[in-house]
């Protein structure tokens, strides 16, 4: 398969007439600059390498437009638990397909799904990884590249058991989670070329220290590992009270801090936390639209980058599904914190969205030899982007300016009206059952 791009925006500059050719797996094998458009090749006007959503909870999409009136992160979390309690494999397959399709239409080409709704609501297992396979099937149907971040979730807080509404998230202990993870890896083998398996520790408050230590030591080295980190001040306070150290320091003490680790949110960090994360060359995944919606705060993105941490963005609760708004929100947060413009240059923002997101998911950089043939085509002549320099469209465009999304060399087509109906139907089913 071949894709010819009239204008490829990459590494901060526009390259003209770039021909990318991929093998049967959708991996770029050759690149030719200044090439005429060959007969039969897919032709794109202005394109950028694919954008990786490094942190998503697909089912949180059900809460969009239903939880914004008041409250805090903690009151929002109770509504999230109620939605999680209504899911079954068939409903989740349909719902996640619609959410992933919304992502594709918006310009996300890959997603890391931070998945912990493993079992039946009472905690008893499904027979054959039914919930996990539902998510994998949804990604395959939507045509998005998925890294399923199967999540260990063992406690309701430091030293506290899971609450009844959390029962379906837990596996009892790290050994049983690891056993299920390895079995899931076998179940996913060969199921879809778009789907791979990663792993996650939910948080320091939801996974005991000894379990963190075991997972960090026994998980295969080539597997990306993610964790929620210091999203709320209460998380830090609980960790300091129980362990005498911050969540970042706990991860370091238990051997989890490494270059394969992605810390999500990283909002409330100490200077020492930043040094530890930078020394490990970890990834930090910011989710600006969610962090704003939940009132989490603004994390120290530039301090982390200066320390050596690699940045990425994600959609998290999917109250907003728009990679360009996440990237713009990252820079906006930096401007609000510092009272200065241009903290993260447009070139850096594109790199964070593309290589940063893919790297956090353990994937090769898209749109380059050796990486997947994942691209998005942008309209730089819309009412939002007209007159923009191409490289600065990251600060003017939105998902409405995504013309086509290419994953593995194939255009992924989403009919917005059909997808909106599918989303509405699934959300209605969730809340109809809750009302009943």
């Amino acid at each position: 398969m071949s894709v010819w791009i009239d204008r490829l925006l990459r590494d901060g500059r526009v390259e003209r007439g770039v021909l990318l050719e991929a093998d049967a797996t959708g991996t770029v094998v050759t690149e030719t600059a200044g090439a005429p458009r060959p007969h039969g090749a897919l032709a794109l006007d202005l394109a950028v390498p694919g954008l990786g959503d490094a942190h998503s909870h697909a089912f949180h999409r059900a809460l969009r437009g239903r939880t914004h009136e008041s409250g805090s992160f903690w009151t929002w979390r109770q509504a999230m638990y109620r939605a999680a309690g209504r899911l079954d494999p068939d409903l989740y397959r349909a719902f996640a397909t619609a959410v992933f399709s919304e992502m594709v239409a918006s310009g996300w080409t890959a997603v890391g799904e931070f998945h912990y709704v493993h079992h039946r609501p009472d905690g008893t297992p499904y027979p054959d990884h039914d919930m996990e396979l539902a998510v994998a099937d949804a990604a395959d149907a939507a045509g998005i590249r998925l890294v399923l971040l199967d999540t260990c979730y063992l406690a309701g807080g430091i030293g506290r058991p899971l609450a009844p509404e959390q029962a379906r998230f837990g596996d009892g202990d790290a050994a049983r989670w690891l056993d299920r993870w390895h079995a899931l890896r076998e179940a996913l083998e060969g199921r879809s070329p778009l789907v791979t398996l990663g792993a996650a520790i939910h948080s320091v408050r939801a996974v005991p220290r000894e379990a963190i230590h075991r997972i960090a030591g026994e998980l295969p080295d080539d597997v990306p590992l993610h964790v929620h980190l210091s999203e709320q001040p209460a998380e830090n306070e609980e960790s300091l009270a129980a362990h005498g150290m911050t969540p970042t320091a706990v991860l370091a003490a238990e051997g989890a801090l490494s270059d394969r680790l992605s810390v999500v949110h990283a909002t409330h960090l100490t200077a020492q936390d930043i040094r530890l994360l930078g020394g490990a060359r970890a990834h930090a995944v910011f989710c600006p639209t969610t962090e704003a919606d939940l009132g989490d705060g603004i994390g120290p993105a530039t301090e982390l980058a200066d320390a050596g941490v690699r940045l990425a963005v994600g959609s998290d609760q999917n109250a907003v599904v728009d990679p360009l708004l996440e990237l713009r929100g990252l820079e906006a947060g930096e401007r609000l914190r510092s009272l200065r413009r241009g903290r993260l240059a447009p070139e850096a923002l594109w790199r964070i969205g593309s290589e940063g997101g893919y790297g956090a998911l353990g994937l090769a950089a898209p749109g380059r030899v050796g990486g997947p043939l994942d691209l998005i085509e942008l309209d730089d002549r819309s009412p939002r982007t007209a007159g923009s320099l191409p490289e600065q469209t990251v600060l003017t465009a939105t998902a409405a300016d995504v013309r086509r999304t290419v994953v593995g060399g194939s255009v992924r087509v989403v009919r917005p009206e059909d997808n909106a109906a599918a989303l509405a139907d699934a959300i209605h089913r969730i809340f109809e059952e809750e009302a009943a």
Side-chain angles (χ1 to χ4, degrees):
M1 57 193 77
S2 302
V3 178
W4 180 85
I5 306 123
D6 182 37
R7 296 175 294 157
L8 176 60
L9 177 55
R10 192 171 57 175
D11 300 327
R13 62 189 181 89
V14 174
E15 304 171 47
R16 299 303 299 257
V18 177
L19 177 65
L20 300 176
E21 297 182 278
D23 63 16
T25 70
T27 301
V28 180
V29 292
T30 63
E31 174 180 327
T32 306
R37 176 184 174 182
H39 178 73
L42 172 65
L44 306 179
D45 179 13
L46 172 65
V48 298
L51 300 173
D53 182 344
H55 186 72
S56 163
H57 301 287
F59 80 89
H60 291 188
R61 170 65 179 81
L63 303 179
R64 184 191 296 178
R66 291 176 173 268
T67 63
H68 304 291
E69 63 279 3
S70 63
S72 67
F73 167 85
W74 304 102
T75 55
W76 170 89
R77 193 173 71 151
Q78 292 307 309
M80 179 269 288
Y81 286 154
R82 290 196 298 273
R86 304 296 165 179
L87 297 174
D88 60 37
D90 289 339
L91 176 54
Y92 203 18
R93 182 178 289 103
F95 187 30
T97 299
V99 175
F100 291 151
S101 295
E102 184 180 9
M103 290 180 182
V104 169
S106 300
W108 292 117
T109 52
V111 60
E113 182 61 24
F114 200 103
H115 169 75
Y116 50 78
V117 188
H118 301 303
H119 308 302
R120 293 186 174 93
D122 65 359
T124 58
Y126 287 102
D128 298 304
H129 309 287
D130 297 50
M131 292 295 279
E132 290 71 37
L133 296 185
V135 176
D137 290 347
D140 191 59
I144 197 168
R145 196 173 301 282
L146 169 71
V147 178
L148 181 59
L149 298 166
D150 193 87
T151 303
C152 182
Y153 196 137
L154 302 176
I158 297 175
R160 298 194 299 275
L162 292 172
E165 61 268 24
Q166 298 168 318
R168 71 184 312 181
F169 308 158
D171 288 291
D173 57 33
R176 277 177 278 189
W177 178 80
L178 282 162
D179 286 344
R180 187 178 57 74
W181 187 91
H182 282 285
L184 175 59
R185 197 180 206 188
E186 291 183 9
L188 289 172
E189 187 69 31
R191 191 176 184 92
S192 168
L194 294 178
V195 178
T196 55
L197 183 63
I201 295 164
H202 181 273
S203 58
V204 167
R205 58 185 165 81
V207 181
R209 289 184 63 171
E210 61 274 14
I212 293 172
H213 183 84
R214 181 163 189 174
I215 291 167
E218 296 186 20
L219 197 70
D221 292 339
D222 62 342
V223 174
L225 179 63
H226 288 222
V227 61
H228 291 125
L229 184 73
S230 294
E231 181 178 5
Q232 292 287 323
E235 177 184 336
N236 291 352
E237 293 162 5
E238 190 175 355
S239 181
L240 287 165
H243 305 306
M245 59 181 77
T246 65
T248 301
V250 170
L251 293 174
E254 300 307 330
L257 207 54
S258 72
D259 61 0
R260 60 107 167 246
L261 184 71
S262 291
V263 297
V264 180
H265 302 304
T267 310
H268 303 281
L269 301 178
T270 67
Q272 176 62 12
D273 292 339
I274 293 170
R275 286 191 291 271
L276 286 170
L277 293 165
R281 290 284 293 157
H283 306 261
V285 183
F286 285 80
C287 305
T289 63
T290 289
E291 288 145 10
D293 181 68
L294 297 181
D296 289 342
I298 301 171
T302 51
E303 290 91 331
L304 285 164
D306 290 344
V309 174
R310 292 164 289 174
L311 303 184
V313 293
S315 63
D316 195 2
Q317 63 159 325
N318 295 297
V320 176
V321 176
D322 188 325
L324 294 155
L325 290 185
E326 298 296 350
L327 292 168
R328 192 179 310 170
L330 185 64
E331 167 63 4
E334 283 299 303
R335 294 181 183 193
L336 290 168
R337 286 198 315 123
S338 67
L339 307 182
R340 290 172 48 206
R341 301 180 78 216
R343 298 277 283 173
L344 293 163
E347 178 185 349
L349 292 173
W350 284 121
R351 185 172 60 252
I352 288 164
S354 180
E355 294 177 27
Y358 274 61
L361 297 175
L363 301 172
R368 300 176 186 272
V369 172
L373 185 43
D374 298 353
L375 304 159
I376 62 170
E377 183 182 37
L378 290 175
D379 181 358
D380 63 342
R381 302 176 183 89
S382 78
R384 290 160 297 279
T385 61
S388 299
L389 296 172
E391 59 271 22
Q392 294 196 25
T393 51
V394 69
L395 294 170
T396 60
T398 71
D401 300 307
V402 174
R403 283 177 165 172
R404 286 181 287 185
T405 301
V406 177
V407 178
S410 298
V411 176
R412 308 296 173 166
V413 178
V414 178
R415 288 173 52 86
E417 61 275 17
D418 293 343
N419 201 56
L423 282 165
D425 177 68
I427 294 167
H428 176 73
R429 288 164 64 190
I430 290 170
F431 289 103
E432 182 181 57
E433 291 176 17
E434 182 180 35

